Amino acid sequence: MTKKVSEKRALRLEFLGCPAAPAASLARIEAIHEGLVSGREAFTGWVGLPWRDESEETARLIETAARIGAQCEVLAVIGIGGSYLGARAALEICGKYHAAPGAPEILFAGLNISGTYHAELLDRIKDKDVRLCVISKSGTTTEPNIAFAVLKDLLIERYGKAEAAKRICAITDPAGGTLRAEAEAEGYESFVIPPDVGGRYSVLSPVGLLPLAAAGIDIGEVLAGARRAAEDDLRGSAAKLAAVRKALLDGGKTVEIFEHYEPSLFYFAEWLKQLYGESEGKNGTGLFPAALSFSTDLHSMGQFLQEGNPIFFETLLDVAEAPRDLLVPAGADPLLAGKSMNEINRAAAEGVIAAHRAADIPIVRVGIPDLSPYSFGQLVYFFELTCAYTGRLMGVDPFNQPGVEQYKREMKRLLTNN
Ligand code: PA5
């Protein structure tokens, strides 16, 4: 069964057993929002990204992506963290049902340092026509640096240096960094990561849009969805959620569990973990973001959730219309036979809500109309706003990540000494 999806409906929030949003927090969020959109605060360039769809750079991006899409079988997207997770999340959510027919397969590299992963990737693309999209704001991150060197060698060996350069697209800082210098020296097609947009807030910039457009996904829909999330009603919901999250933290909850019943939301939950973890986790505060994939994880973590240490609340990513469904055949348990799998999945979700509410666990239900590019755009901007608001309420800078640098320094020290 293939279900028709509704494209234009909005996210809908429901708070179950949560504290009320304190009026003082809501008033502070109004001031926080004014600051975010003022253009005067550092690293707030992401706020305006949904409105850049008319820009010359977006037109060039769409044209480049169409060319890439028409000319190769595989696009290897190289990047990590904020230069990877957004595109991966989007492709998992809407790649299968919203990509253009005949679009290249998008594979990811440089998201780990595993020799096995990358050797297998090389095996997988050995008979394929390949292009590269390397994404790194700094140009110096270890993982993409290694993967880019490996894949560039493959291209040069296969096509020669000049043709290899034509097959590489770089997305990086407009001026600084080694990747920008290389892109200019070698003549790669390139796009800019705006300097005032941090990695985890960059999915609506070329970082996310180029891979999506290359897969034939309508990025106009993604940006329209993001603009929908900026409208008053959803911005109000983002403010309320931010205030409630802060109240939950103040009330002793230290973990937020993002949960969902559609496996294609797995990488979106990973993206949320980075967004919240890097934005809030500083100065000894922040909600620890965790993610569970249901119903799978009910069979491993269900016991803890029901009766364990109540340090957490749950944020349910609840998809109203999944793209496909199947009927359970007569051979199954009579209780299940004849029902649709989505109907049973819904019973699981409602049953878990009832059981967890009975255990007094606060639940935020984020109703997602469907798994479309439009819904993806809404989700991204909605959670970015919520995260920025809560970070400011917590008194941290939601746009820096000083702690990430520390392990990088230690790793470089070890490599230098060996
Ligand atoms: O959010 C961040 O800053 C990080 O996750 C970075 O995006 C990640 O480390 C990749 O950095 P870069 O784009 O400089 O390679």
Side-chain angles (χ1 to χ4, degrees), residues 143-155:
E143 293 88 341
N145 194 281
I146 297 170
F148 184 40
V150 168
L151 288 163
K152 193 169 42 176
D153 273 1
L154 173 91
L155 255 54

Side-chain angles (χ1 to χ4, degrees), residues 80-83 135-139 141 144 199-200 274 278 401 408:
I80 195 166
S83 294
I135 309 176
S136 178
K137 189 167 186 188
S138 61
T141 308
R200 59 191 176 276
Q274 187 198 359
E278 276 190 0
Q401 55 285 326
K408 290 185 183 174

